[in-house]
Amino acid sequence: MVLKSFRESPGSNMSLAFCGNENNSLAYNVDSGVLNNGCFLDALNVVPHIFLLFITFPILFIGWGSQSSKVHIHHSTWLHFPGHNLRWLLTFVLLFVLVCEIAEGVVSDGFTQSLHLHLYMPAGLAFMAGITSIIYYHNIETSNFPKLLLALLFYWVLAFLMKTIKFAKYTEHGIGLRQLRYGITGLLALLYGLLLAVEINVILGRRYLCFTEATEVKPPEDLQDLGVRFLQPFVNLLSKATYWWMNTFITAAHRRPIDLKVIGKLPIAMRALTNYLKLRKAFESQRRPLGSMPQDPKWIWRALCQAFGRPLIISITFRFLADLLGFAGPLCISGIVHHISKENHTIQPPIKLLGVYFISSQEFLANAYVLAVLLFFALILQRTFLQASYYVAIETGINLRGAIQTKIYNKIMRLCTSNMSMGELTVGQICNLVAIDTNQLMWFFFLCPNLWAMPVQIIVGVILLYYLLGISALIGATVIAVLAPVQYFVATKLSQAQKSTLEYSSERLKKTNELLRGIKLLKLYAWEHIFCHSVEETRGKELTSLQAFALYTSISIFMNAAIPIAAVLTTFVVHVHISEEADLSPAVAFASLSLFHILVTPLFLLSSVVRSTVKALVSAQKLSEFFSSDEIGDEQEPNATMPAGPSNHNSKYQAVLSFKKPKPWPVPSLRPSQPLKVVNRKRPPREDCWNNYSHKGGDPPPQERDQDLCFRITSGYFTWTDGPPTLSNVDIKVPFGQLTMIVGQVGCGKSSLLLAALGEMQRVSGTVTWNSLPNLDSEGDERYVSEGDDRPTSDKDAAGDGDIQKRGSVAYASQKPWLLNTTLVENITFEMPMIKPRYKAVIEACSLQPDIDILPQGDQTEIGERGIVLSGGQRQRIGVARALYQQANVVFLDDPFSALDIHLSDHLMQEGILKLLREEKRTVVLVTHKLQYLPHADWIIAMKNGTTQTEGTLKDIQNSEPELFEQWKTLMHRQDGEFEKETVPESMTVLERKNLRRAMYSKEAAKTEEEDKEESVDSDEDDNLSQAMRHRTTIPWHSCGVYLSSAGLLLLLLLLLSQLFKHSLMVAIDYWLAHWTSRVINAKMDATGRNCTVAQECGFSHSWYLSVFSVLCCLGIVLCLVTSVAVEWTGLRVAKELHHNLLSKIILAPMRLFETTPLGSILNRFSSDTNTIDQHIPATLECLSRSTLLCVSALGVISYVTPVFLIALVPLAIACYFIQKYFRVASRDLQQLEDSTQLPLLSHFSETVEGLTTIRAFKYEPKFRQRLLEFTDANNIASLFLTAANRWLEVRMD
């Protein structure tokens, strides 16, 4: 309408012509030369685009045909050419500018009498050529045919020349920046020039033109590995922005469940080891000149920013761009409504130069259709930048979490045992560091872009509101600012209520754990209901705390919904009363309403960001304290005479060389002139490495005297704390290949002596000398150790210079058995290959076969904390079996008979120690109270009050300590008598009866399992698979029905009706505002017709409209409160009912459930699942209902006002249905996979802390570090795929 008003007559000739067909048109005038004719210049610019379209179409069809035959991942994702991302970015900018050129041509053509195709047709062809160029480039790049890029080179040259000529002619004729087409032409010339430079850079990089030899380029290592399926870092820019590469993954999930095999491996740059090395380098740069770390947490923040600051800056930049583009919506809406509702459409006619019209940017932006197109592009860019910011921030947080978890694990591997034994660090504290504090830092990095973007968003929003509404906008913004601290106060109370709830939850879980662990005893005594009542009592306290949590949550939800309504109401009331001539047009009203919703968002996020920041600061403080804990080898060297000799002077040099050139471990003859050899710091040398050291006092090297000793402790003083030594004046020696027994009273230091020999105790003075024979196993991961040990060089060397010298692997069975959360067979083999004859011999020696027979899956049964509950004797025999199975030369057994009866003890001693270990000539150190086994010992060490009482053979002790020998003899006879008394009558009764009962039970269980297995294989295999697939692809309506029915009919009706009335009122408020503002416009038009100064003089008043608007807003606020309270109280009622029903069902379940189901699986229902029902589902239910009703109300209003929208609604609804259908299945699988991969990771940390001494004794640190990396990468890749899937959904729904 606006444009047609400038045509000379409605009856003008509108036939198509490239240069128009007006009479006396200057478009065909070439008297001044063809280049001075505007139409000819436009026609000249068509040539490059026609050239590209005709040249590339045949090649594109051939290229697409070749693409269909590609199979390998790296073929279709390998980006071969340099400047790839810059080319895509420039092409996107080029296409946007071309759209603006098309729009400018259409608007300019509206001022002419006939259609001038040359104003917009060349731009349309250029747009088609730009799309063709990027498609052509993508096919050529992934096919790796660089010579075919010559077509693009010629195209960029021609396009650049044509646009430059056009720009020069415009300048020559005095056309300047006031004309929009001049600026667009100059910008296009610049873009074509930049794309030409990118093309020349490809020629120089790949040397495919004008060079004799082309550059050979190999694909990245990640893309050569077909197991890497996370392709976000490798795909083109468009696929990165739209997550197009996820399409195949999302759709495939509908046909096949997602597991770790499907998602594959992480790219190298995202693996925990890579990020850990980056973080370690940043930590090293924070060290002080003397090599020590600062004690305050600031150094952690500096290191984190140094290691992960760059992607965070990119995320913040994306967020800035998204927030700024978000303001384009209100501005464009204001402009569209303003220009549509204007009664005066008069616009000054444009300037006519070179035979064509030129319009200014103001005239261009005055067109409603142009604003609509710009709004469309602004929203697309805004959502794209926002999703990119989210993804980069979350990816950075995940990488940071993996790096910190790896560093924590490496610190655990070097922790001083006294920190754990004295309670300075507990397993729970370390697990909290891993599970909570690392996640707090990850979420802080995710919310960090908000921290920087919120001030800009608030400032720009207030400025725009002031521009639209004047001083009244500041009053409305003040309302929001005043209520923001209230929101923060509520958030603080909410956090306190959550902390209180967590304490009661922990107490309830503790009682539930006790109930489940002793369920058999409770059922035998019929005490189930007593303990159930105790759990219910604690649950009642938890529900009381949950009521406070629900109250503050409902207040928070209420304020989120009510504050924008209150701010808008206050603003409009003030705006109407402040001036009688106040502008309350639809453009101002709805633009202001949109700006208020934008302004409220950062103020509400402020409380979350502040709380996250505080939690992150606390977590950084905890990590700083943990990283400053004492480590093994960190104590000062004792003031003892250090060994002299060339090897001592070169020990540091050896430690440094171990990272460069590892060598095999021969057993050379030791001579004084022996050359320096490279020694791996973590891998024990297979030689007598201590004979290189001479002894103090000038004595000759005692090679002949000590060559048969495994290790010797001389004048040893050891302690756990800084107080008096636990072990004092220890002088012992342990011979090679013999059985050494350590005996003594309880608490005399026997176990501490073993740990002192292993280097676990703090050494005050003295020496520990190990002589290493060739080891039977090959341990150590050179690559990981060199990368995984993050101590500075001085610390590493100090650890290697001590008197507690490097030793080989020691098979250590601790007094308190330590089991892994894995199968029984893996607990015994313990990272060693399966050798069946040896495995059977060890099982027989430890009498484990009857126990294996009664387990549900035999030796494949999972044991440990998350598996089947074992008795103390079973756990101890498994620990001993692990030590027997290992091929280490040295075996330490710390009181292995303490939890065994006399028969099992004797069998283990005879078959395991005296037979199996002695046959292999292994050095055995046995701590025991069973004095009847002393005659079997080759060497005896007697301990008393933390010191060595005597040592030697039994005959030597008989001669030197006759009183001690007589005491032992009395005790030995007493124990032998008890053994004979029990063995003679019971050897053929009790033992056989036990074994028979076990065998019968195992056969019966096996028979039942075989029958069940056959039936399931024959009849239910296919049905179960299809049923599982159907369950994944359907919405669990039954579970939703159970949840809602648990709330009760009254609460359910209140929830439903309040939501419906609230959203009906929201629609009514918008409708009344539209009616009010339209009446204002009509009143102004009436006032103009009646010659009234203001509308009020002609009888119009805002009072009635303002009163109704105020009533509607107040009712909306009240219903917001009712809705928030209803949804939280519904969740509270459901939580109470579901927990009560769950506990009742579990407590009355038969014992078979507890014997066949791991305890951890049952506890998960009471911990994580119950927590989800208590705290997360109510808020999610409110968000779901609010979003659904908002969408329905918006669709209803749009369809009522614009019925044509229903035509577009049908395909949109179909697309949304399929998007959610495929996404829901993939998202559910990925969420479950993330949860299932997090549990082994946390379990690995806890079991490492508990078995730290055993791991270090076995020298298995590298293997456990490698397992940690595998668990971390598995959890991280599941999190990354889930993040990418969420972004995939957001981009498509937006």
Side-chain angles (χ1 to χ4, degrees):
M1 293 189 303
V2 179
L3 304 179
K4 292 180 181 178
S5 63
F6 288 95
R7 303 191 189 278
E8 293 183 1
S9 64
S12 300
N13 186 6
M14 300 299 291
S15 60
L16 294 176
F18 186 75
C19 296
N21 55 6
E22 299 101 328
N23 296 327
N24 300 322
S25 174
L26 297 177
Y28 295 97
N29 188 358
V30 292
D31 295 340
S32 301
V34 293
L35 292 180
N36 293 318
N37 181 274
C39 184
F40 181 80
L41 288 176
D42 291 333
L44 196 63
N45 277 270
V46 173
V47 176
H49 316 313
I50 297 296
F51 163 78
L52 182 68
L53 293 175
F54 274 100
I55 290 294
T56 56
F57 269 359
I59 302 176
L60 276 177
F61 285 118
I62 298 173
W64 280 331
S66 65
Q67 288 292 318
S68 62
S69 63
K70 293 176 182 178
V71 177
H72 299 293
I73 292 177
H74 65 267
H75 281 175
S76 59
T77 55
W78 180 22
L79 308 178
H80 302 74
F81 304 142
H84 168 85
N85 288 332
L86 179 60
R87 181 192 296 267
W88 278 86
L89 188 61
L90 290 175
T91 303
F92 288 148
V93 176
L94 174 67
L95 294 175
F96 176 73
V97 176
L98 287 172
V99 170
C100 293
E101 187 180 23
I102 295 172
E104 191 271 345
V106 172
V107 174
S108 300
D109 190 40
F111 295 98
T112 62
Q113 295 179 3
S114 63
L115 296 178
H116 286 243
L117 298 181
H118 70 96
L119 293 177
Y120 48 84
M121 192 180 79
L125 290 174
F127 185 81
M128 293 175 59
I131 295 177
T132 304
S133 70
I134 199 64
I135 296 175
Y136 177 79
Y137 168 78
H138 175 70
N139 281 268
I140 298 306
E141 184 180 36
T142 53
S143 303
N144 197 18
F145 294 130
K147 291 185 178 180
L148 293 178
L149 291 179
L150 285 175
L152 286 182
L153 178 65
F154 289 129
Y155 171 67
W156 301 132
V157 170
L158 290 175
F160 175 68
L161 289 177
M162 297 302 104
K163 283 298 177 184
T164 304
I165 293 172
K166 185 177 180 179
F167 183 74
K169 287 300 176 180
Y170 281 177
T171 306
E172 182 181 338
H173 286 79
I175 302 172
L177 291 174
R178 296 189 63 181
Q179 283 74 42
L180 180 61
R181 196 178 307 162
Y182 179 83
I184 291 177
T185 304
L187 187 56
L188 287 173
L190 177 63
L191 290 172
Y192 283 129
L194 291 174
L195 286 166
L196 177 60
V198 171
E199 206 66 62
I200 294 173
N201 181 53
V202 174
I203 297 175
L204 297 177
R206 293 301 304 270
R207 297 174 174 263
Y208 68 88
L209 187 66
C210 302
F211 291 95
T212 57
E213 294 183 0
T215 304
E216 291 187 7
V217 181
K218 294 183 178 180
E221 184 179 347
D222 289 315
L223 295 183
Q224 296 181 36
D225 185 359
L226 298 182
V228 176
R229 298 187 178 92
F230 189 80
L231 304 178
Q232 180 72 6
F234 311 111
V235 294
N236 60 59
L237 200 61
L238 181 62
S239 185
K240 283 182 180 179
T242 60
Y243 303 90
W244 192 262
W245 63 273
M246 285 284 292
N247 288 348
T248 306
F249 179 82
I250 296 289
T251 53
H254 200 267
R255 299 186 299 270
R256 177 186 176 187
I258 300 176
D259 53 18
L260 288 176
K261 292 182 180 179
V262 173
I263 62 178
K265 296 182 290 187
L266 271 177
I268 294 175
M270 295 182 176
R271 292 176 186 172
L273 179 57
T274 305
N275 291 290
Y276 163 71
L277 294 177
K278 188 190 303 182
L279 182 63
R280 189 187 68 177
K281 182 179 179 181
F283 275 21
E284 290 294 331
S285 65
Q286 301 298 323
R287 288 188 180 274
R288 293 172 177 170
L290 297 179
S292 61
M293 277 291 188
Q295 296 299 318
D296 58 334
K298 293 180 180 178
W299 68 276
I300 290 185
W301 288 113
R302 288 194 294 265
L304 292 178
C305 291
Q306 181 180 341
F308 303 99
R310 183 177 177 182
L312 194 61
I313 292 175
I314 295 175
S315 176
I316 293 173
T317 304
F318 286 154
R319 185 58 188 267
F320 277 151
L321 295 174
D323 289 342
L324 293 177
L325 286 169
F327 290 107
L331 294 178
C332 289
I333 291 174
S334 175
I336 292 171
V337 176
H338 176 71
H339 291 291
I340 288 178
S341 62
K342 279 184 66 174
E343 66 279 2
N344 183 12
H345 300 288
T346 303
I347 301 177
Q348 295 295 327
I351 301 173
K352 192 172 185 179
L353 299 169
L354 294 176
V356 294
Y357 287 106
F358 287 83
I359 62 173
S360 66
S361 58
Q362 292 180 352
E363 294 163 344
F364 179 71
L365 294 176
N367 188 280
Y369 295 101
V370 170
L371 290 176
V373 173
L374 291 178
L375 175 61
F376 173 75
F377 281 106
L379 290 178
I380 288 179
L381 287 175
Q382 190 258 346
R383 302 307 299 180
T384 301
F385 281 128
L386 185 64
Q387 297 305 325
S389 174
Y390 286 159
Y391 173 78
V392 174
I394 295 177
E395 179 190 301
T396 305
I398 291 173
N399 291 336
L400 175 143
R401 181 184 63 180
I404 294 182
Q405 286 174 346
T406 308
K407 183 167 180 61
I408 291 174
Y409 195 81
N410 284 331
K411 180 69 178 182
I412 290 173
M413 283 298 185
R414 298 190 310 277
L415 274 180
C416 191
T417 312
S418 60
N419 291 335
M420 308 298 299
S421 61
M422 302 308 296
E424 296 179 10
L425 285 173
T426 63
V427 178
Q429 290 174 341
I430 294 176
C431 288
N432 283 339
L433 284 177
V434 177
I436 298 177
D437 294 311
T438 56
N439 279 304
Q440 293 294 349
L441 291 175
M442 180 188 73
W443 284 109
F444 171 76
F445 266 63
F446 171 55
L447 294 175
C448 194
N450 293 317
L451 191 63
W452 297 96
M454 281 189 304
V456 176
Q457 201 171 7
I458 293 173
I459 292 172
V460 174
V462 171
I463 291 174
L464 291 177
L465 278 172
Y466 182 77
Y467 171 75
L468 291 173
L469 296 174
I471 193 67
S472 57
L474 300 180
I475 296 176
T478 303
V479 172
I480 299 176
V482 168
L483 292 177
V486 179
Q487 179 76 356
Y488 178 74
F489 172 77
V490 172
T492 304
K493 289 294 184 181
L494 186 65
S495 178
Q496 294 175 357
Q498 190 173 18
K499 187 181 297 183
S500 175
T501 304
L502 184 62
E503 293 176 357
Y504 288 120
S505 299
S506 300
E507 184 180 353
R508 174 179 58 81
L509 283 176
K510 181 180 178 181
K511 290 186 176 181
T512 307
N513 186 25
E514 293 174 352
L515 184 148
L516 294 176
R517 288 187 178 276
I519 187 66
K520 187 173 184 178
L521 186 65
L522 296 182
K523 285 183 174 295
L524 289 174
Y525 282 96
W527 287 349
E528 307 103 304
H529 296 288
I530 298 176
F531 279 77
C532 182
H533 178 71
S534 175
V535 175
E536 289 283 9
E537 183 179 355
T538 308
R539 176 65 175 175
K541 298 178 182 177
E542 183 183 6
L543 287 174
T544 303
S545 181
L546 274 174
Q547 288 179 358
F549 179 83
L551 175 63
Y552 291 120
T553 303
S554 61
I555 294 175
S556 178
I557 295 174
F558 160 70
M559 295 186 70
N560 287 341
I563 287 180
I565 303 175
V568 170
L569 176 62
T570 305
T571 302
F572 286 164
V573 168
V574 174
H575 186 67
V576 168
H577 287 87
I578 238 175
S579 172
E580 294 182 352
E581 299 181 358
D583 183 12
L584 198 62
S585 63
V588 173
F590 286 100
S592 304
L593 193 63
S594 179
L595 284 172
F596 271 116
H597 281 286
I598 293 177
L599 188 62
V600 166
T601 302
L603 292 175
F604 286 151
L605 282 176
L606 181 63
S607 60
S608 300
V609 173
V610 169
R611 282 189 286 116
S612 177
T613 304
V614 172
K615 291 179 180 179
L617 291 173
V618 174
S619 299
Q621 178 67 36
K622 292 180 181 179
L623 288 172
S624 178
E625 295 173 357
F626 175 73
F627 288 143
S628 61
S629 302
D630 294 335
E631 299 181 2
I632 293 292
D634 278 359
E635 71 273 6
Q636 296 294 327
E637 294 300 319
N639 295 325
T641 305
M642 295 296 297
S647 59
N648 184 39
H649 297 300
N650 293 319
S651 59
K652 294 183 180 182
Y653 184 56
Q654 291 175 351
V656 175
L657 286 181
S658 65
F659 297 103
K660 297 180 180 179
K661 188 178 179 183
K663 293 184 178 180
W665 307 99
V667 187
S669 59
L670 300 176
R671 297 187 299 271
S673 61
Q674 182 178 355
L676 177 67
K677 291 185 290 297
V678 180
V679 178
N680 183 350
R681 188 175 61 82
K682 290 285 187 181
R683 192 172 182 175
R686 298 185 176 183
E687 59 176 326
D688 192 353
C689 60
W690 301 108
N691 291 335
N692 292 333
Y693 287 80
S694 61
H695 279 228
K696 57 185 178 180
D699 294 336
Q703 296 179 1
E704 297 180 357
R705 185 179 61 192
D706 289 347
Q707 64 183 355
D708 293 332
L709 294 182
C710 177
F711 69 89
R712 167 195 291 272
I713 300 180
T714 306
S715 302
Y717 287 81
F718 304 91
T719 183
W720 292 113
T721 61
D722 296 332
T726 305
L727 299 178
S728 57
N729 196 24
V730 176
D731 286 284
I732 64 167
K733 56 184 178 180
V734 174
F736 268 122
Q738 297 184 11
L739 174 60
T740 301
M741 289 191 185
I742 303 177
V743 296
Q745 296 178 350
V746 175
C748 66
K750 301 184 295 299
S751 299
S752 298
L753 182 62
L754 294 184
L755 295 177
L758 293 172
E760 295 293 331
M761 294 186 69
Q762 297 182 23
R763 176 170 47 85
V764 180
S765 64
T767 59
V768 179
T769 307
W770 282 82
N771 293 327
S772 298
L773 283 181
N775 219 353
L776 297 177
D777 55 344
S778 176
E779 304 301 335
D781 187 343
E782 181 79 19
R783 172 178 174 270
Y784 182 79
V785 173
S786 62
E787 296 171 342
D789 196 343
D790 53 2
R791 285 180 291 176
T793 306
S794 59
D795 291 347
K796 297 171 188 174
D797 299 340
D801 287 342
D803 294 333
I804 299 183
Q805 304 289 4
K806 302 183 186 70
R807 55 168 176 80
S809 173
V810 175
Y812 173 64
S814 60
Q815 188 174 9
K816 181 182 178 182
W818 172 66
L819 301 181
L820 298 171
N821 289 309
T822 182
T823 62
L824 186 144
V825 63
E826 291 175 351
N827 266 280
I828 294 176
T829 57
F830 198 52
E831 304 291 338
M832 291 289 292
M834 167 59 77
I835 305 173
K836 288 188 177 181
R838 182 176 184 83
Y839 177 74
K840 290 182 179 180
V842 170
I843 292 296
E844 176 61 28
C846 297
S847 302
L848 281 172
Q849 191 58 49
D851 302 281
I852 292 175
D853 291 339
I854 66 174
L855 294 177
Q857 286 85 34
D859 59 3
Q860 297 298 323
T861 304
E862 184 178 358
I863 60 176
E865 293 298 326
R866 293 186 289 115
I868 296 295
V869 180
L870 301 177
S871 66
Q874 290 171 330
R875 295 170 62 89
Q876 189 152 38
R877 279 180 287 146
I878 292 173
V880 174
R882 175 195 301 148
L884 299 183
Y885 186 83
Q886 301 298 308
Q887 298 182 12
N889 290 325
V890 185
V891 180
F892 281 8
L893 302 176
D894 190 359
D895 204 0
F897 312 125
S898 58
L900 305 183
D901 57 34
I902 196 167
H903 309 286
L904 291 176
S905 301
D906 187 64
H907 182 81
L908 176 60
M909 184 68 189
Q910 298 295 331
E911 299 296 327
I913 299 175
L914 299 180
K915 182 179 179 181
L916 188 61
L917 295 180
R918 276 195 171 178
E919 287 179 355
E920 297 176 351
K921 303 295 183 182
R922 297 164 75 180
T923 304
V924 182
V925 180
L926 173 65
V927 173
T928 183
H929 293 281
K930 304 284 186 179
L931 299 182
Q932 67 267 28
Y933 300 140
L934 284 178
H936 300 292
D938 301 307
W939 192 259
I940 300 174
I941 299 173
M943 297 291 297
K944 185 177 182 180
N945 298 329
T947 187
T948 309
Q949 183 177 5
T950 184
E951 67 172 334
T953 63
L954 188 60
K955 187 174 181 180
D956 294 338
I957 295 176
Q958 181 180 3
N959 297 329
S960 60
E961 299 283 345
E963 294 181 1
L964 179 62
F965 179 79
E966 289 299 326
Q967 183 181 358
W968 287 354
K969 188 176 180 181
T970 303
L971 293 175
M972 281 190 289
H973 286 312
R974 184 182 305 169
Q975 292 176 356
D976 285 340
E978 293 176 356
F979 176 72
E980 292 175 357
K981 186 186 303 181
E982 293 185 12
T983 303
V984 172
E986 295 185 7
S987 60
M988 297 301 292
T989 55
V990 177
L991 189 59
E992 289 183 357
R993 192 160 54 244
K994 288 181 180 179
N995 291 337
L996 181 61
R997 185 171 64 250
R998 289 178 177 176
M1000 290 177 63
Y1001 183 89
S1002 63
K1003 289 178 181 178
E1004 185 178 5
K1007 182 178 179 181
T1008 304
E1009 289 180 0
E1010 287 176 0
E1011 292 175 355
D1012 295 341
K1013 192 177 297 184
E1014 289 176 359
E1015 292 177 0
S1016 62
V1017 168
D1018 292 339
S1019 60
D1020 296 336
E1021 184 175 359
D1022 295 334
D1023 294 340
N1024 288 338
L1025 180 60
S1026 59
Q1027 184 178 357
M1029 295 299 294
R1030 285 196 302 270
H1031 178 71
R1032 291 175 63 251
T1033 56
T1034 56
I1035 299 176
W1037 296 112
H1038 177 69
S1039 300
C1040 298
V1042 170
Y1043 182 88
L1044 294 176
S1045 62
S1046 301
L1049 183 60
L1050 183 62
L1051 276 177
L1052 201 58
L1053 285 175
L1054 177 63
L1055 176 64
L1056 183 62
L1057 294 177
S1058 62
Q1059 287 281 8
L1060 289 175
F1061 283 132
K1062 185 186 82 168
H1063 285 85
S1064 300
L1065 267 177
M1066 296 298 106
V1067 175
I1069 289 173
D1070 292 339
Y1071 170 76
W1072 188 256
L1073 186 60
H1075 177 66
W1076 181 9
T1077 53
S1078 64
R1079 290 295 299 162
V1080 170
I1081 293 177
N1082 294 332
K1084 286 184 177 181
M1085 295 175 65
D1086 291 342
T1088 305
R1090 299 180 185 179
N1091 295 323
C1092 299
T1093 308
V1094 293
Q1096 283 76 3
E1097 294 180 0
C1098 295
F1100 178 79
S1101 175
H1102 289 283
S1103 301
W1104 161 248
Y1105 298 98
L1106 185 60
S1107 300
V1108 175
F1109 184 75
S1110 301
V1111 171
L1112 290 175
C1113 289
C1114 292
L1115 286 176
I1117 292 174
V1118 172
L1119 282 176
C1120 287
L1121 178 61
V1122 174
T1123 302
S1124 60
V1125 172
V1127 72
E1128 286 299 323
W1129 248 245
T1130 300
L1132 198 64
R1133 174 71 178 273
V1134 171
K1136 180 180 180 180
E1137 291 295 325
L1138 290 182
H1139 181 272
H1140 175 74
N1141 295 337
L1142 174 65
L1143 185 62
S1144 301
K1145 288 288 182 64
I1146 291 294
I1147 202 72
L1148 298 177
M1151 277 303 301
R1152 182 172 180 80
L1153 172 69
F1154 304 98
E1155 292 174 349
T1156 57
T1157 307
L1159 181 62
S1161 299
I1162 302 177
L1163 279 175
N1164 277 341
R1165 306 289 81 79
F1166 289 94
S1167 57
S1168 59
D1169 292 347
T1170 301
N1171 180 63
T1172 301
I1173 294 172
D1174 289 348
Q1175 300 185 14
H1176 300 293
I1177 288 185
T1180 305
L1181 179 64
E1182 192 276 335
C1183 183
L1184 176 64
S1185 59
R1186 173 167 45 87
S1187 302
T1188 303
L1189 291 175
L1190 277 176
C1191 290
V1192 171
S1193 59
L1195 291 175
V1197 171
I1198 295 173
S1199 301
Y1200 175 76
V1201 176
T1202 313
V1204 183
F1205 174 72
L1206 293 174
I1207 301 175
L1209 182 61
V1210 174
L1212 287 176
I1214 295 174
C1216 289
Y1217 169 76
F1218 282 104
I1219 287 173
Q1220 66 84 25
K1221 176 182 177 182
Y1222 286 106
F1223 169 77
R1224 185 165 34 83
V1225 177
S1227 176
R1228 182 189 302 173
D1229 286 353
L1230 289 171
Q1231 186 66 59
Q1232 292 176 354
L1233 190 62
E1234 185 187 30
D1235 296 339
S1236 63
T1237 53
Q1238 187 178 20
L1239 186 60
L1241 176 64
L1242 300 178
S1243 177
H1244 186 65
F1245 271 93
S1246 62
E1247 68 186 17
T1248 298
V1249 174
E1250 293 172 352
L1252 187 58
T1253 303
T1254 303
I1255 296 170
R1256 288 202 288 235
F1258 277 85
K1259 290 288 185 181
Y1260 274 6
E1261 297 100 317
K1263 292 185 176 182
F1264 274 76
R1265 286 189 179 114
Q1266 187 61 38
R1267 290 180 62 188
L1268 181 273
L1269 292 178
E1270 294 172 358
F1271 288 141
T1272 305
D1273 287 343
N1275 183 238
N1276 285 352
I1277 193 172
S1279 301
L1280 285 170
F1281 263 104
L1282 182 60
T1283 300
N1286 290 332
R1287 305 282 75 77
W1288 179 89
L1289 176 69
E1290 292 285 345
V1291 167
R1292 276 144 188 81
M1293 298 305 291
D1294 290 338

